[in-house]
Amino acid sequence: MLGRMGREEMRAGDGDRKAVAEQLKSALDEGRLDLHEYDERLQRTYAAKTFGDLDGLLDDLPGTVPVQHSQVQPAAAPPPPAAAAGPAAVRRPPWVGGYGGVVVVCVLIWLFTMLASGHWIYPWPVWMLIPLVLGFFGQRFGGRGR
């Protein structure tokens, strides 16, 4: 029968080969293929002429869905940002909390060291305040990020 052709004999297009190559790349990125096996399968993908040649390249990979059965799922909407506690809520950059904690720890280390030694030690943690102060004034008066 000349008029009837199954899917396996149908000619695969460049888009079909590209879709299989992208699935192979994601399998490589996820660690389901090693580099040698990825290279072999990619060469076979671009050498494939029919859908029958492409079908066997992804069958043994867990988690891959053949192109003819794949579906697009909508992404979940991101949660809304937390509302401010009130009109007087202080907004500070996120790095201030972490860096401020580092400054506090260094001041405590300096204080305990000074108390344990029994004499005055140069207040070196003051130098750590410079980036914090520059960041504050830069955000307050610099106009960036508004």
Side-chain angles (χ1 to χ4, degrees), residues 38-120:
Y38 167 75
D39 188 44
E40 272 184 17
R41 289 184 189 211
L42 193 63
Q43 287 177 8
R44 287 177 38 206
T45 298
Y46 286 115
K49 303 235 185 276
T50 64
F51 282 104
D53 297 335
L54 290 176
D55 283 343
L57 295 172
L58 300 173
D59 290 344
D60 64 332
L61 295 175
T64 57
V65 177
V67 177
Q68 63 269 23
H69 298 297
S70 64
Q71 297 177 354
V72 176
Q73 299 291 330
V90 177
R91 293 183 185 176
R92 64 177 189 227
W95 60 271
V96 170
Y99 188 74
V102 170
V103 170
V104 168
V105 168
C106 288
V107 167
L108 289 175
I109 290 171
W110 168 77
L111 184 64
F112 290 141
T113 305
M114 187 176 68
L115 292 175
S117 69
H119 64 277
W120 176 258

Side-chain angles (χ1 to χ4, degrees), residues 7 15 52 136:
R7 183 179 187 290
F136 171 75

